[in-house]
Amino acid sequence: MTSLPVIPIGPDSPASRRAKMPPRHLADLDLAGRQELVTSLGEPAFRARQLSNHYFGRLVRDPAQMTDLPAAARERLAGELMPTLLTPVRELACDDGATRKALWRLHDGALVESVLMGYPDRVTVCISSQAGCGMACPFCATGQAGLTRNLSTAEIVDQAVYLAGVAASGVVAGSPPRLSRVVFMGMGEPLANYARVIAAVRRLCAPAPEGLGLSQRHITVSTVGLVPAIRRLAEEDLSVTLALSLHAPDDDLRDELVPVNQRWKVAEVLDASWNYAARTGRRVSIEYAMIRDVNDQPWRADLLGRLLAGRLAHVNLIPLNPTPGSKWDASPKPVEREFVRRLRAAGVSTTVRDTRGREIDGACGQLAAAEDDKGGVPA
């Protein structure tokens, strides 16, 4: 069995405190904080609103395009409030360009990935909250890589803003030009970087120029089941979707697949999730990777159905995506269909996730931030 040390869920883990965090960025601050910073630089407070409108409203980073700012102040203000946080290393595309995975290098050399997915009615971005992940789930490439550090609020937000600019450029044919959804399902356990993730959510949802202006209902925060953090999230007065990576309905198997289950068992995790649903009125998304001959037995479908029946929940079955060195494979389609049938017979809403991005290692569980991927398109 894989053992996992319990990771602190406060604003900073010890590992994060030791890491050198990136320079301050306007996305780390609310509008009042930006105004205070601008005035400390000897500029009028309204310059903060102008800079914020360029970044969040126009998706512009180049000081030369900020023509409403005095020429003499542009470079200095942009340098102080909009330092480079993410350096593009490579972009990979598949699905006729509708799925695009970006690899970024951070200021300290750490690597993270995020994915843009274009659909006829929406554009969704999957972003990372940590460089690596400390949860050690054995079927997930990110979890096997280990944790490097937490990302700052601005490093999290900047992924969404950058890819919102990609969508706005029109390169994702057949999709709207505006980003509409963000899912915290990239690298890392979001609730292990709690304070910065919540700050990022608030920044993404604040109206421009303070933020990106997304609907809270179009934000999804994923977790493997950090119970105290789930309960804390229920107190935040947010209406984001909680996605619980369950992957097994019984403790014996979940202890192995999701090692944090050794600390918080299935019953505790589901109780915290139902509390979140009751407090917010939001349906909980139960994420379940279908792994051949591991968690796809009919009796496990029946047990999951009994656990979820009558609850405000939806099951999202995920065909296991291949990862290097994995000993497991996806469940056969007939097994998957029988699993779906049994859940629906129990009255549980169930769908099977689209495996977008699999060819570029951009699908669920595949993000590993490797520099030697082939077939890259310069970002």
Side-chain angles (χ1 to χ4, degrees):
M1 179 182 295
T2 302
S3 295
L4 178 73
V6 176
I7 293 180
I9 61 170
D12 301 286
S13 68
S16 177
R17 287 195 295 271
R18 289 193 297 269
K20 182 180 178 183
M21 295 305 285
R24 174 191 54 205
H25 188 282
L26 66 83
D28 288 310
L29 307 169
D30 60 16
L31 189 56
R34 297 169 210 166
Q35 291 170 335
E36 182 178 345
L37 177 56
V38 165
T39 56
S40 74
L41 298 172
E43 295 288 339
F46 67 82
R47 297 286 184 227
R49 183 174 290 272
Q50 290 175 305
L51 282 167
S52 299
N53 190 56
H54 284 297
Y55 180 73
F56 283 114
R58 298 180 56 211
L59 309 175
V60 166
R61 304 156 184 270
D62 181 2
Q65 298 183 45
M66 303 177 188
T67 55
D68 58 341
L69 296 173
R74 287 175 203 164
E75 292 287 349
R76 184 168 69 99
L77 284 172
E80 289 286 348
L81 275 80
M82 296 170 59
T84 299
L85 300 178
L86 309 175
T87 299
V89 176
R90 182 180 50 257
E91 182 180 296
L92 300 173
C94 66
D95 302 321
D96 296 323
T99 304
R100 312 176 79 89
K101 183 178 76 166
L103 173 66
W104 317 102
R105 180 173 288 108
L106 308 182
H107 79 289
D108 57 358
L111 298 171
V112 298
E113 291 179 319
S114 42
V115 182
L116 180 151
M117 295 163 285
Y119 300 90
D121 62 338
R122 67 192 186 279
V123 173
T124 298
V125 167
C126 176
I127 61 176
S128 296
S129 56
Q130 297 178 311
C133 182
M135 297 294 106
C137 298
F139 57 90
C140 174
T142 314
Q144 291 306 291
L147 176 65
T148 300
R149 68 168 172 88
N150 286 334
L151 300 190
S152 70
T153 296
E155 285 174 322
I156 297 168
V157 171
D158 205 33
Q159 297 169 66
V161 173
Y162 188 101
L163 292 177
V166 171
S169 73
V171 300
V172 187
S175 297
R178 177 172 168 76
L179 173 66
S180 55
R181 287 172 170 80
V182 171
V183 296
F184 285 78
M185 293 182 171
M187 299 177 71
E189 161 56 51
L191 296 188
N193 188 14
Y194 187 91
R196 296 185 183 108
V197 165
I198 296 304
V201 168
R202 296 193 187 283
R203 213 72 75 235
L204 292 171
C205 297
E210 183 158 1
L212 204 52
L214 301 181
S215 167
Q216 290 184 18
R217 299 173 72 86
H218 288 170
I219 304 288
T220 297
V221 177
S222 175
T223 181
V224 295
L226 305 188
V227 167
I230 295 172
R231 294 194 178 281
R232 186 177 172 190
L233 182 63
E235 305 295 326
E236 293 284 355
D237 194 28
L238 292 171
S239 56
V240 301
T241 296
L242 175 68
L244 172 62
S245 295
L246 191 66
H247 304 309
D250 55 302
D251 287 323
D252 285 346
L253 179 58
R254 195 168 192 265
D255 281 351
E256 181 67 28
L257 296 182
V258 187
V260 79
N261 198 74
Q262 297 166 38
R263 173 61 180 85
W264 295 291
K265 299 300 185 181
V266 170
E268 296 175 271
V269 171
L270 289 178
D271 184 66
S273 300
W274 306 148
N275 175 67
Y276 182 84
R279 292 294 301 268
T280 64
R282 301 288 289 146
R283 185 172 68 170
V284 176
S285 180
I286 303 295
E287 310 292 301
Y288 197 102
M290 292 290 288
I291 309 174
R292 181 196 294 261
D293 299 329
V294 174
N295 66 349
D296 59 358
Q297 299 86 354
W299 72 264
R300 283 197 162 97
D302 293 340
L303 174 56
L304 184 61
R306 291 194 298 272
L307 291 174
L308 304 185
R311 298 292 187 174
L312 194 60
H314 172 89
V315 174
N316 194 8
L317 295 181
I318 307 166
L320 185 73
N321 292 301
T323 58
S326 174
K327 64 181 180 180
W328 292 317
D329 195 6
S331 301
K333 286 301 177 182
V335 173
E336 180 184 280
R337 287 193 291 269
E338 176 63 10
F339 208 92
V340 171
R341 187 193 70 77
R342 286 172 178 266
L343 286 174
R344 290 177 176 169
V348 178
S349 173
T350 306
T351 54
V352 178
R353 179 182 289 177
D354 182 14
T355 55
R356 292 281 293 269
R358 177 179 285 184
E359 297 93 330
I360 55 173
D361 291 338
C364 181
Q366 291 186 312
L367 300 187
E371 287 196 86
D372 57 353
D373 288 344
K374 299 299 188 291
V377 178

